Amino acid sequence: MATSQQNPDGTWTPAVPLPITPTLDFEVTGHGPYRWDAWRGTRQVAAGTARTRLGLTIALLRARRKHATEGDR
């Protein structure tokens, strides 16, 4: 499966990890439902799915908040 991301204008481009914090990157795959993975360096720290772009945004924000409050366990 190719990894891609949708741009604000509706076009698609190859996806790259999206920096959320200096130490946490998210990789998003699929066109809906979306699968996302959160990475700290080379270690996966969280993962999930979302059916819509809005749901994806909310899931990423929740993961960022959880990661920021819990840190590394």
Side-chain angles (χ1 to χ4, degrees):
M1 172 189 278
T3 303
S4 59
Q5 65 187 26
Q6 189 173 19
N7 302 312
D9 65 358
T11 61
W12 291 88
T13 57
V16 295
L18 304 172
I20 301 298
T21 68
T23 60
L24 189 66
D25 290 325
F26 284 96
E27 182 175 314
V28 178
T29 56
H31 301 274
Y34 301 93
R35 170 136 177 84
W36 61 268
D37 301 287
W39 300 85
R40 175 181 271 177
T42 59
R43 188 169 67 88
Q44 183 180 15
V45 295
T49 59
R51 289 184 286 166
T52 64
R53 287 180 62 82
L54 176 59
L56 174 64
T57 301
I58 292 168
L60 297 181
L61 290 172
R62 284 180 179 162
R64 182 182 76 178
R65 183 180 306 130
K66 182 177 180 180
H67 172 76
T69 58
E70 290 183 0
D72 235 1
R73 289 188 178 202

